[in-house]
């Protein structure tokens, strides 16, 4: 049981490049979400999903896209990276009948 | 809208001192969960406690204790006899259930430094 797996752990991008942060869970959790962590601001919700095929925006969705084609995967796409997207990104999942959250280990992204 | 406020940005104590981390929340929901997470220097998020809005009993787990007061919308965290290993950033978070969103609203965190 791997829990929530995020890849890659570290990434450096040039401004304007695109990339996908991967998030996969093997616990059959219905709910998944992406957060970014910036110094002094805690974690802020980017996008979330309440099930396969259903996604919605969080507090800071601009510049990011998501999709949820399967229960297991919830990738986060940066279409045109900007320095303001330099951050640590966390993915989390949650089971409907339990109100706990399982977090991945994070992806540290630097946009230069 | 939901909001979680951790007014203490950084706290420094000497080992064996007791320390309380404050958390004040705002929500219109009647059903919600409150959480505390620890983020050590290694960066992962470590779950500490979850408390639902209907359970105002205080909880103690070893050197950790939590005081939930609905009347003041606070969920404070006390570490008794602090140790150097307690040095970390601590986050308070809120999850509303009424909207069905099932995601967390975090406070900005409190950095705790425990000096030997």
């Amino acid at each position: 049981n791997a829990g929530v797996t995020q890849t890659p752990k570290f990434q450096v991008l040039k401004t304007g490049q695109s990339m996908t942060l991967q998030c996969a869970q093997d616990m059959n959790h219905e709910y998944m979400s992406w957060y970014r962590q910036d110094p002094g601001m805690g974690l802020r919700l980017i996008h979330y999903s309440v099930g396969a095929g259903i996604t919605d925006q969080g507090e800071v969705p601009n510049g990011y896209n998501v999709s949820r084609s399967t229960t297991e995967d919830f990738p986060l796409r940066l279409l045109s990276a900007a320095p303001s997207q330099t951050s640590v990104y966390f993915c989390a999942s949650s089971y409907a009948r339990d109100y706990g959250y399982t977090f991945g280990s994070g992806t540290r992204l630097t946009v230069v | 809208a939901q909001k979680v406020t951790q007014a203490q940005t950084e706290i420094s104590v000497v080992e064996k001192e007791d320390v309380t981390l404050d958390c004040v929340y705002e929500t219109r929901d009647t059903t919600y969960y409150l959480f505390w997470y620890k983020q050590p220097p290694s960066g992962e998020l470590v779950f500490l406690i979850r408390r639902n809005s209907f359970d105002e009993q205080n909880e103690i787990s070893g050197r950790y204790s939590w005081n939930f007061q609905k009347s003041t919308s606070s969920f404070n965290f006390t570490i008794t006899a602090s140790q150097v290993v307690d040095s970390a950033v601590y986050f308070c978070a809120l999850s509303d259930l009424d909207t069905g969103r099932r995601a967390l609203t975090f406070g900005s965190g409190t950095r705790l430094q425990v000096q030997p």
Side-chain angles (χ1 to χ4, degrees):
Chain A
N1 192 340
V4 177
T5 302
Q6 288 185 239
T7 56
K9 292 192 184 301
F10 301 94
Q11 182 72 47
V12 179
L13 285 181
K14 293 183 178 179
T15 297
Q17 285 185 319
S18 62
M19 81 160 294
T20 299
L21 307 186
Q22 301 291 345
C23 176
Q25 52 92 6
D26 59 359
M27 300 170 283
N28 204 31
H29 284 178
E30 297 92 336
Y31 301 92
M32 298 186 74
S33 46
W34 276 102
Y35 303 82
R36 59 176 288 172
Q37 182 180 11
D38 301 297
M41 302 186 75
L43 284 78
R44 293 179 292 168
L45 180 66
I46 305 172
H47 286 284
Y48 65 96
S49 169
V50 299
I54 306 170
T55 64
D56 206 345
Q57 297 179 350
E59 302 171 56
V60 289
N62 292 342
Y64 307 95
N65 280 351
V66 292
S67 60
R68 184 100 180 268
S69 55
T70 67
T71 299
E72 293 77 20
D73 299 299
F74 191 42
L76 179 71
R77 297 184 185 85
L78 285 71
L79 298 180
S80 179
S84 60
Q85 294 178 305
T86 293
S87 189
V88 180
Y89 292 85
F90 285 96
C91 178
S93 71
S94 178
Y95 181 49
R97 295 185 182 182
D98 178 81
Y99 300 100
Y101 292 78
T102 302
F103 280 85
S105 57
T107 295
R108 184 174 294 275
L109 175 68
T110 302
V111 183
V112 298
Chain B
Q2 297 182 105
K3 185 177 179 182
V4 177
T5 301
Q6 295 180 256
Q8 304 151 308
T9 304
E10 188 162 345
I11 300 174
S12 183
V13 299
V14 176
E15 209 170 17
K16 297 185 183 177
E17 283 186 18
D18 299 347
V19 58
T20 296
L21 309 182
D22 297 332
C23 173
V24 175
Y25 64 93
E26 297 175 27
T27 179
R28 295 177 185 172
D29 300 329
T30 56
T31 308
Y32 53 88
Y33 275 84
L34 295 163
F35 299 77
W36 276 94
Y37 286 89
K38 174 182 180 180
Q39 187 175 46
S42 53
E44 74 272 22
L45 288 165
V46 178
F47 167 78
L48 296 178
I49 190 172
R50 177 180 72 226
R51 172 69 68 201
N52 75 52
S53 52
F54 298 110
D55 183 0
E56 290 193 66
Q57 280 192 339
N58 292 332
E59 180 154 341
I60 298 174
S61 176
R63 296 184 297 108
Y64 295 170
S65 62
W66 291 269
N67 184 317
F68 176 29
Q69 292 197 336
K70 220 168 173 179
S71 60
T72 56
S73 297
S74 65
F75 187 44
N76 296 336
F77 173 32
T78 298
I79 302 175
T80 303
S82 58
Q83 300 177 0
V84 172
V85 294
D86 296 326
S87 297
V89 180
Y90 291 86
F91 292 101
C92 181
L94 169 68
S95 176
D96 72 272
L97 302 183
D98 292 349
T99 65
R101 188 174 75 162
R102 196 62 71 86
L104 289 165
T105 299
F106 283 85
S108 55
T110 297
R111 181 177 299 278
L112 174 65
Q113 293 189 331
V114 182
Q115 310 290 344

